[in-house]
Amino acid sequence: MDGAELETDQAVLALAQSVAQEPPIPRLHALSERAHKAIAYAPGSTSAATTVAEALAQGQGVCQDHAHLFVSAARSLGIPARYVAGYLLADEAGHAVRETLAWAEAWVDGLGWIGFMIWFGGKGFWAYLFDSLVFAMVTAGTFGWLWPKVIGA
């Protein structure tokens, strides 16, 4: 590991520790908000080869970078977390889009896997409602235009 990776590991741990004392669900929402603030959403700023270290260093990235940061930080707190990727085949009008989308899920005892779209940047009740409804519909197969693939489960 080089110095930059060690610094990034410390940055991920610091981000995780900043929410460690919160109750479980507020902890995850706070972690989502902090990941969103640490890496500004900037389409085209990173690629699939970009590491969390690189995205953190430049302070910008895309949904995959947010998800990687959230998963790393959550796991450092002992919270089971996974990276989820989906493929957007078409927009609502049926036009081909062919874009990927990434989000993170964390396990909460008594509730199961809860999804977090960190790039969305929402806060509070509406973000929770949005996340819960979207991921319930994706899991149930309601969205034909989004096909989720769980990675690292």
Side-chain angles (χ1 to χ4, degrees), residues 124-134:
F125 172 77
W126 294 110
Y128 179 76
L129 180 63
F130 174 81
D131 288 345
S132 299
L133 291 174
V134 168

Side-chain angles (χ1 to χ4, degrees), residues 3 18 28 30-32 35-36 40 44 50 54 58 67 87 89 93-94 103 106 152:
S18 73
L28 294 169
L31 183 58
S32 176
H36 183 263
T50 303
E54 294 165 337
Q58 68 185 29
Y87 192 68
L89 297 175
W103 61 91

Side-chain angles (χ1 to χ4, degrees), residues 109-136:
D109 287 335
L111 293 175
W113 291 105
I114 297 178
F116 294 88
M117 278 193 184
I118 296 102
W119 62 270
F120 182 68
K123 297 181 182 178
F125 172 77
W126 294 110
Y128 179 76
L129 180 63
F130 174 81
D131 288 345
S132 299
L133 291 174
V134 168
F135 292 109

Side-chain angles (χ1 to χ4, degrees), residues 5-65:
E5 288 174 337
L6 288 173
E7 286 178 23
T8 299
D9 287 343
Q10 292 303 314
V12 171
L13 291 174
L15 185 117
Q17 288 304 312
S18 73
V19 302
Q21 300 306 312
E22 297 283 334
I25 293 176
R27 177 185 316 142
L28 294 169
H29 281 284
L31 183 58
S32 176
E33 289 174 21
R34 287 190 172 96
H36 183 263
K37 288 178 184 173
I39 300 175
Y41 184 74
S45 61
T46 60
S47 71
T50 303
T51 66
V52 170
E54 294 165 337
L56 272 172
Q58 68 185 29
Q60 60 184 10
V62 293
C63 56
Q64 69 192 13
D65 305 304

